[in-house]
Amino acid sequence: MVPALIRDAFVGDVLYHLSRHRLFQHREDRQDFTIPTPPRSVGSIKSGSSSRSILEITTVAEPERPVDEESQLPRVDSEQVTIAICEPSEEQRPARQKILEVEEGDLAKQKEKAPVLQEITESRIVEWYGPNDPEDPQNWSIVKKSFITFQICLLTFSVYIGSAIYSPGIGGISDQFGVSSVAATLGLTLFVVGYGVGPMFLSPLSELPQIGRTTVYILSLALFVVLQVPTALAKNLGALLPLRFVAGFAGSPALATGGASLSDIWAPEYRAVVIGLWSVAGVGGPVLGPLVGGFATQGEDWTWTIWILLWMSGATLIFLMLFLPETSASALLYRRAARLRRITGNKRLKSEGEIEVEHMTVGDIAMMHLVRPFILMFIEPIVAFWNIYVALVYGILYIFIESFRVVFVETHGFNLGENGLAFLGIFVGSALTYAVYAPYALRVLKPHFVNNTFVPEMRLPIAIVGSVLLPISMFWFGWTSDAIVHWSVPIVASALFAAGTYMLFQAGVNYLADCYPRYVASVLAGNDFFRSMVGAAFPLFSTVFFHNLGVGPACSLLGGVAVLMLPIPWILYRYGARIRSWSKYAD
């Protein structure tokens, strides 16, 4: 036996199957394994990342289990029936809706109309072996959860840095390929577009029990790593730009699904803290990218920004292949069901997620991940306003990255490496804000989760503070960027900008998830898509924008827009519950 952390990682799972289940064995593979008797209580069952209410449960007497004469392993009687129909997630809803429509006393008639119900009724549902099952991600140790959190943060950082690490090399690309700086900037823009579009197609794969999150992470990151080689060797812009787009597309699952992985293992009262830490890693990528890329370009040329990205993401890939376990409860239960089918010969042993996905149509999946995000984006006021607000903040972040060249290189005479150091103000501001936010989340928000008194609007007080800090930082940065003012003053302003944006991101994304728990995948996918499209567009005009208007007036214009957006968090804090009551999607 090996540690479950390694056994459930990508390499461990592959070796398990290649060795025909002789290496990296699970508890079901042991000769002395006996299938535990499932719980027989009506109330709530703990499964995966949440406690789900049982809507209906029917059991039969548990007969003595016979033993298979050939394998000497326990068998499960194929006629045993256990129905545990739980409150569905968005991914389960199309299949579950058929189940919930069944009326008491009319089961036989409805079986003909609802194949999924018939299959669940005739199958033995594979669940956790009780509330303390050590393979349930919610029951993992704090050390293991913390190590996995670190890996998700590392993965996010390794991909996110790929956007801004490119920016110091724009001048070199422009000179080498004989194109304008705007055309060279497309390499940054298309990368951001790629990781905005990618989650719409790749993230749904991580919800399939047959695939799981880790497989999607590893395979997409492997493609991301491979793509860096032809990118660094590209001989013209026509070859470079498509490679940058595909690389952003391939790297996108971690950026959209990392929060879901953390939710798999942490209880709701702790998620604000761990997802806040994950957000610091997300900010660190685009902020520290110019620092690394600046020294690389200054020491060698623009291709070294890509080579460094290759080395960093390649090392992360190897590390995660060895040590990142699967966290999706649906995928882990599917694998358990597959093992039980193999050792017992009972083909009716299936996990809930497996049955539900089998009965989802292509139309169900398309509606869930391609159509519904846009429906919610345009008809839900809460979603629409927060998408616009967060997209504005995201766009300003990327325009900030480009403005540093004008302020610190052209005005203060920094070289590319020193210009990268100026970005440390944003990173330090984010880290310090998290240091304040984490205790706030534990002291103020956690008790409401524990006592079941939490409402989504409790997320918004920090957004109100952040909405005030954002325009202040923009005016401060813009009007202190002249050469007569010491360079440290605008850097302090950038730290204040980081604090405001961090608060807005944390409050906004969590508020959307809280308001639309049934459609959280669609809402967050649409938010990611919308803000990425805006963030991708801003760098294209940033240099001209600051040159033509001047840094002070340009930042004042952005600050003025931020001032106009100030009422949004306050209005939602005051009237959000009423607005949600009008919606057929919000809870």
Side-chain angles (χ1 to χ4, degrees), residues 316-385:
T316 300
L317 173 64
I318 295 172
F319 184 63
L320 268 56
M321 287 177 66
L322 294 173
F323 299 112
L324 179 63
E326 179 57 57
T327 62
S328 169
S330 181
L332 291 171
L333 288 171
Y334 166 77
R335 296 176 185 181
R336 171 176 287 181
R339 293 193 297 272
L340 292 175
R341 285 196 297 268
R342 174 173 52 81
I343 66 174
T344 65
N346 184 355
K347 303 303 181 184
R348 292 183 178 180
L349 286 170
K350 294 185 178 182
S351 66
E352 287 187 54
E354 181 181 1
I355 295 172
E356 290 153 356
V357 169
E358 287 175 354
H359 290 275
M360 289 183 66
T361 66
V362 175
D364 292 333
I365 297 173
M367 169 60 79
M368 190 185 307
H369 298 287
L370 298 178
V371 178
R372 189 178 294 141
F374 293 98
I375 293 177
L376 293 170
M377 189 186 305
F378 291 111
I379 71 172
E380 288 293 306
I382 292 175
V383 178
F385 281 116

Side-chain angles (χ1 to χ4, degrees), residues 209-277:
Q210 295 85 344
I211 297 177
R213 305 200 197 283
T214 300
T215 301
V216 174
Y217 288 153
I218 297 301
L219 295 182
S220 61
L221 183 61
L223 177 60
F224 180 86
V225 172
V226 170
L227 287 169
Q228 304 314 312
V229 176
T231 301
L233 299 176
K235 301 301 181 183
N236 55 69
L237 197 64
L240 177 67
L241 296 184
L243 289 168
R244 287 286 292 173
F245 171 78
V246 178
F249 187 95
S252 65
L255 312 183
T257 316
S261 295
L262 298 177
S263 296
D264 290 337
I265 62 177
W266 292 99
E269 58 265 30
Y270 296 107
R271 287 176 195 162
V273 176
V274 295
I275 291 180
L277 181 62

Side-chain angles (χ1 to χ4, degrees), residues 41-57 83-89 92-93 96 99-100 127 352 356 452:
S41 61
V42 177
S44 66
I45 57 175
K46 186 176 181 184
S47 177
S49 60
S50 62
S51 293
R52 302 179 293 172
S53 300
I54 294 183
L55 303 181
E56 176 182 355
I57 182 164
I83 307 174
I85 301 175
C86 306
E87 188 174 353
S89 67
Q92 301 165 344
R93 192 161 301 275
R96 284 303 182 87
I99 300 171
L100 298 180
E127 263 286 358
E352 287 187 54
E356 290 153 356
N452 293 320

Side-chain angles (χ1 to χ4, degrees), residues 45 81 96 118 128 134 200 204 251 290 401 517:
I45 57 175
V81 177
R96 284 303 182 87
Q118 183 174 359
W128 300 120
M200 306 291 283
I401 292 174

Side-chain angles (χ1 to χ4, degrees), residues 1-2 4 7-9 12-13 16-17 21-31 33 135 332 335-336 339 342:
M1 300 294 289
V2 297
R7 181 198 65 199
D8 293 335
D13 191 53
Y16 172 74
H17 289 287
H21 320 116
R22 289 190 294 271
L23 298 176
F24 299 93
Q25 290 186 337
H26 298 256
R27 60 193 297 190
E28 292 86 2
D29 296 303
R30 298 174 59 181
Q31 290 293 324
F33 172 72
E135 294 190 15
L332 291 171
R335 296 176 185 181
R336 171 176 287 181
R339 293 193 297 272
R342 174 173 52 81

Side-chain angles (χ1 to χ4, degrees), residues 405-478:
R405 177 191 297 271
V406 177
V407 173
F408 295 106
V409 175
E410 297 180 11
T411 302
H412 289 282
F414 284 20
N415 58 39
L416 290 178
E418 293 168 341
N419 183 55
L421 290 171
F423 284 92
L424 289 176
I426 297 179
F427 181 73
V428 170
S430 299
L432 291 177
T433 305
Y434 174 73
V436 175
Y437 171 75
Y440 164 82
L442 291 175
R443 286 199 304 265
V444 177
L445 299 181
K446 179 183 174 183
H448 290 286
F449 278 108
V450 174
N451 298 322
N452 293 320
T453 57
F454 178 82
V455 293
E457 284 68 34
M458 291 179 180
R459 299 280 191 188
L460 297 178
I462 63 167
I464 295 174
V465 176
S467 67
V468 175
L469 295 180
L470 182 61
I472 291 175
S473 67
M474 296 303 302
F475 290 121
W476 182 347
F477 183 88

